[in-house]
Amino acid sequence: MTRRDDENKSPTGEDDVKYEANAQTLMDAVDAILGAGALDEGAVGALLEVLGEPGSAEGLDVRVMLCVVEHPVVAGALRAGEVPAALEARLTEALAELAPLFGRWMAAPLAERAERLRQRYDAELHKYELVKKRLERESVEGGAQVLARYLDTAPAAMFARKMEVGFGEAYGRAEVIRSEEDRALLCNEELLELLAFEDSFGEAQAERLNELLAELVVRLDGAVERVVRRTLEGGASEAKLVAGALAVRQGLSERASALLAMVIHGDPYAHQAAVFAARLAPLLTLHVLGQFLVDVLKSTGVDEDQERHTEGAIVASRLVLPWIGSPIPEAGYAGKPSAHRIAEAVRRAWGFFDQG
């Protein structure tokens, strides 16, 4: 009995690379250990050596883990619930180490998590192979554009590393492209000041904000959607503020969920994010912010910084919800200086996007 045939060779053919050779050696060792078809004490001990200690400096290759858990001997024992405790514990730890590299999923039995890891690994491998074929036909500059888009899909680290090794010049250029795109969102202090929607915000400021957002769209040269997505998924708060405004300007309604996450998590720009989300997806915002206010009523104290940021989220939610169909009355904040200031900024932001 042996492992899956598609694991008998390196997916990239880079057999001279140490990383690949080590994985191949370990997978061959797994076949040898389980060749007798038994999970006896000796086989378990040898498999534990192959899998290594949790958190070891060398790290665990996902292919080695899949080779063990999918081997007919181990897979059969998993189905029968007969995997020795020590091996089951190490496999569980190994899956916990590797799972974050391939996205998130809910807790599940060991066999089911192993199956999901296989599915995600195969999907990442397929994506890698498709992009690799495209890169082999591209110039360095064209390849850089392809790689910039590929990196925006958050590929598993092992495949990003393969791209860097195989297409070093284009990969380096792709990183420069992405860095320049990220900087474009933060390089204009005037834009950030206008998006604060302070007391001085009037018709002239609204016109200027429109101009700056239009210029930024041109500067990003067709990359607005992916830059907005990338930023809202993991950028700094200031960058998210700009990305949110761009999302409304470009009608990127699928980004509303990320903006609502800013509100719920008490981002410093939660009140602007509430306006952006409401403009993009009013029904979703109605549901999410309504539930948010219910949860706030049930919550207890938070630290001072978080409380200040949460104030913006609460004030914005209380104002925005009636504007998008909620039966709750619009809140008034006269006599509460900080809340009043936030409320006025929310009204100005809402009015600005009323123009378009």
Side-chain angles (χ1 to χ4, degrees):
M1 285 187 266
T2 60
R3 61 181 177 272
R4 286 172 43 139
D5 290 341
D6 65 354
E7 296 293 353
N8 288 326
K9 61 182 180 179
S10 159
T12 61
E14 298 168 349
D15 295 325
D16 56 331
V17 178
K18 182 174 183 293
Y19 179 79
E20 302 285 353
N22 285 348
Q24 185 67 51
T25 300
L26 291 173
M27 289 190 287
D28 289 341
V30 171
D31 277 346
I33 292 164
L34 296 173
L39 265 181
D40 54 25
E41 186 176 344
V44 169
L47 287 175
L48 291 175
E49 286 188 23
V50 168
L51 293 170
E53 294 295 323
S56 61
E58 294 82 6
L60 179 62
D61 190 300
V62 64
R63 290 165 297 172
V64 176
M65 167 63 190
L66 289 170
C67 176
V68 173
V69 80
E70 291 177 344
H71 193 285
V73 174
V74 177
L78 277 172
R79 287 193 296 271
E82 297 174 353
V83 178
L87 180 59
E88 184 175 12
R90 181 63 190 109
L91 290 174
T92 300
E93 291 165 345
L95 278 169
E97 291 175 34
L98 292 167
L101 304 177
F102 293 88
R104 305 179 218 171
W105 52 64
M106 300 295 287
L110 178 59
E112 186 177 338
R113 280 187 285 158
E115 182 181 354
R116 291 178 188 176
L117 181 60
R118 160 57 69 185
Q119 292 169 350
R120 297 194 180 198
Y121 171 77
D122 285 349
E124 285 287 333
L125 175 60
H126 181 63
K127 179 173 68 175
Y128 164 80
E129 289 175 335
L130 288 175
V131 175
K132 181 173 178 285
K133 287 179 182 177
R134 170 78 181 274
L135 289 170
E136 288 167 349
R137 303 192 301 268
E138 291 283 352
S139 64
V140 170
E141 191 58 35
Q145 295 292 338
V146 172
L147 277 170
R149 292 192 293 272
Y150 174 70
L151 292 174
D152 275 344
T153 69
M158 65 179 292
F159 293 109
R161 182 168 60 244
K162 289 177 187 293
M163 288 298 192
E164 185 175 13
V165 170
F167 305 93
E169 188 176 355
Y171 191 96
R173 176 63 188 138
E175 289 189 317
V176 171
I177 290 171
R178 296 174 85 236
S179 178
E180 290 173 347
E181 290 170 347
D182 292 341
R183 282 199 302 272
L185 299 186
L186 295 173
C187 67
N188 193 320
E189 285 294 330
E190 183 185 7
L191 177 56
L192 291 172
E193 289 172 5
L194 289 170
L195 286 171
F197 297 103
E198 296 288 359
D199 291 344
S200 59
F201 193 90
E203 289 186 11
Q205 288 73 26
E207 184 177 342
R208 180 59 178 154
L209 179 53
N210 263 324
E211 291 174 0
L212 292 175
L213 289 173
E215 289 171 8
L216 186 53
V217 169
V218 172
R219 180 173 178 180
L220 289 174
D221 190 23
V224 173
E225 186 171 355
R226 66 183 181 83
V227 173
V228 166
R229 181 183 69 247
R230 180 173 77 232
T231 303
L232 290 177
E233 287 174 353
S237 288
E238 291 82 1
K240 287 181 177 180
L241 173 64
V242 178
L246 283 176
V248 180
R249 189 185 190 282
Q250 300 300 103
L252 305 177
S253 58
E254 65 277 11
R255 304 276 71 89
S257 294
L259 290 161
L260 289 167
M262 291 175 65
V263 181
I264 292 167
H265 296 144
D267 188 273
Y269 300 105
H271 52 293
Q272 289 98 324
V275 172
F276 299 158
R279 285 299 189 184
L280 287 170
L283 289 178
L284 175 64
T285 302
L286 186 66
H287 171 75
V288 173
L289 294 189
Q291 186 59 52
F292 166 69
L293 289 179
V294 170
D295 292 342
V296 167
L297 288 173
K298 297 177 181 177
S299 66
T300 55
V302 292
D303 65 62
E304 186 176 335
D305 283 343
Q306 187 64 26
E307 186 173 10
R308 185 174 65 254
H309 295 157
T310 302
E311 180 185 35
I314 295 170
V315 171
S317 298
R318 288 294 309 277
L319 282 172
V320 165
L321 282 172
W323 299 341
I324 56 176
S326 172
I328 68 171
E330 184 176 329
Y333 292 99
K336 301 176 182 177
S338 62
H340 179 73
R341 178 184 56 79
I342 294 169
E344 291 304 303
V346 169
R347 290 190 176 94
R348 285 187 288 270
W350 187 266
F352 171 75
F353 289 108
D354 249 344
Q355 302 174 81

